Amino acid sequence: MRLLFVADPLEQFNIKKDSTYAMMREAAGRGHELFACEPKQLVWQRGGRVVAKLRQIALSGDPVYWFTEQDTPEIALADLDAVLMRKDPPFDSEYFYATHLLQQAERDGARVFNKPAALRDHPEKLAILEFPQFIGPTLVTREAEAIKRFHAEHRDVILKPLDGMGGMGIFRVGPDGLNLGSIIETLNKDGAQTVMVQRYLPEIVQGDKRILVIGGEPVPFCLARIPQGSEIRGNLAAGGKGVAQPLSARDREIASTLGPILAARGLLLAGLDVIGDSLTEINVTSPTCFREITDQTGFDVAKVFVDALESALRHR
């Protein structure tokens, strides 16, 4: 099969931990052809199909110069067997526009994973609102006074922007309320931007768990991303330490409930973030942690993913 990965520039990949690279390696090992492009290379013109100037790549096995490539003519996405949208967040305007171009490619006949409409319908922080039975006390608002009342009730809270990634822009405010007003002003920009506020979950010291769900089924191991030193964020990008561990009963309950729902909407791969017993985010853009889980447990996440991809393509 011919597989297109729509992603960040290949030169930026850290293949020691990159999940997209793990997918590529598994797919190449099965004889599939690999292509890559960036979202900015997607083109549509009236009367035609969505096309892109692609890089056809082969994996070299070298840890630095990890691929060789040859340019291709413009190819219609519908002429490929599958398109994998693996562009990293943030989910900004350009990401949004890319999903519309990919949805047009679907109308041409392309198979896109995750489905573009599902990417738009599941903003990663707000998607949890659909599942209140699994989340802790949470507030979404632009109003400063509502945030202050929430803090007065819960005393220890986390504030974060809706478009953040990798732990960026996350603040904790304790019972003393120190700097709460300033933090609100920074995040909501005088009421112009919406903020999420959640009760602080002390279980974060045991890690912010990333649970991968593939084809509706949970991977049996999660990656607990444990904050280091005085840091409150467990994100690997913020210096958290990743420790793979089996799913708990609560982890399985959450993943087994959400998995079939998300899969039915066209989300072949999702990453659930769980602190303690509480769901905090649903990641659908380019969920990661394949390499860390595989390296620490021997469970081959990429194999399971490519199995699910091949199965989805067989059952059109």
Side-chain angles (χ1 to χ4, degrees):
M1 294 191 299
R2 301 200 300 169
L3 308 180
L4 169 62
F5 292 82
V6 182
D8 289 305
L10 301 179
E11 290 78 10
Q12 296 179 8
F13 280 32
N14 178 354
I15 64 170
K16 292 181 179 178
K17 63 176 185 177
D18 195 284
S19 296
T20 302
Y21 172 75
M23 296 174 184
M24 290 177 170
R25 187 175 65 178
E26 177 65 24
R30 302 185 187 200
H32 300 315
E33 295 181 72
L34 307 180
F35 297 81
C37 75
E38 298 173 47
K40 67 182 181 181
Q41 292 163 319
L42 301 174
V43 177
W44 177 85
Q45 186 171 344
R46 190 183 71 169
R49 299 184 293 174
V50 176
V51 300
K53 188 75 162 55
L54 308 183
R55 307 165 77 176
Q56 184 170 6
I57 64 172
L59 305 188
S60 67
D62 186 284
V64 178
Y65 303 102
W66 59 272
F67 68 94
T68 59
E69 67 175 301
Q70 61 184 54
D71 288 337
T72 67
E74 278 193 340
I75 296 178
L77 272 59
D79 289 340
L80 300 158
D81 293 289
V83 178
L84 290 89
M85 179 50 160
R86 290 289 300 172
K87 172 71 177 70
D88 282 345
F91 193 109
D92 55 13
S93 295
E94 288 302 326
Y95 192 108
F96 178 79
Y97 303 147
T99 67
H100 279 284
L101 286 169
L102 291 172
Q103 190 168 18
Q104 180 62 30
E106 285 185 318
R107 297 185 189 104
D108 299 335
R111 298 293 306 278
V112 184
F113 304 90
N114 286 324
K115 284 185 70 68
L119 291 174
R120 291 197 302 274
D121 287 345
H122 295 81
E124 300 189 325
K125 291 180 174 60
L126 291 178
I128 65 171
L129 275 58
E130 184 180 354
F131 306 101
Q133 70 272 35
F134 295 128
I135 69 176
T138 300
L139 169 71
V140 180
T141 185
R142 294 188 189 186
E143 295 185 6
E145 290 306 314
I147 296 173
K148 291 175 182 176
R149 289 194 297 270
F150 187 89
H151 173 262
E153 177 182 359
H154 296 288
R155 307 291 292 161
D156 198 351
V157 302
I158 295 290
L159 301 92
K160 53 188 175 183
L162 296 181
D163 59 355
M165 57 173 285
M168 290 189 302
I170 292 179
F171 295 87
R172 178 184 178 185
V173 178
D176 60 8
L178 188 64
N179 286 329
L180 178 59
S182 178
I183 291 169
I184 293 171
E185 291 168 7
T186 298
L187 293 179
N188 85 340
K189 301 190 186 304
D190 252 352
Q193 292 192 7
T194 304
V195 178
M196 176 172 279
V197 194
Q198 296 174 304
R199 186 180 67 191
Y200 174 73
L201 299 171
E203 297 92 339
I204 184 62
V205 298
Q206 277 89 48
D208 179 356
K209 294 176 285 186
R210 166 60 56 84
I211 302 168
L212 294 170
V213 180
I214 299 173
E217 295 291 332
V219 168
F221 299 92
C222 64
L223 191 75
R225 297 160 297 172
I226 301 171
Q228 300 297 293
S230 61
E231 183 60 70
I232 63 166
R233 300 170 297 174
N235 308 76
L236 299 183
K241 178 183 179 182
V243 177
Q245 59 190 43
L247 300 188
S248 69
R250 175 65 167 181
D251 295 338
R252 287 190 175 276
E253 178 188 5
I254 294 171
S256 297
T257 302
L258 271 62
I261 296 170
L262 299 177
R265 295 173 182 173
L267 295 167
L268 182 69
L269 171 64
L272 312 180
D273 288 352
V274 174
I275 298 175
D277 289 338
S278 298
L279 177 69
T280 60
E281 289 189 19
I282 300 174
N283 294 268
V284 299
T285 50
S286 59
T288 59
C289 300
F290 279 39
R291 300 296 303 276
E292 293 88 347
I293 291 173
T294 298
D295 290 346
Q296 294 184 38
T297 69
F299 184 89
D300 196 335
V301 182
K303 178 183 183 301
V304 173
F305 175 79
V306 178
D307 283 346
L309 175 64
E310 291 176 342
S311 176
L313 292 171
R314 285 194 299 269
H315 300 93
R316 285 178 176 266

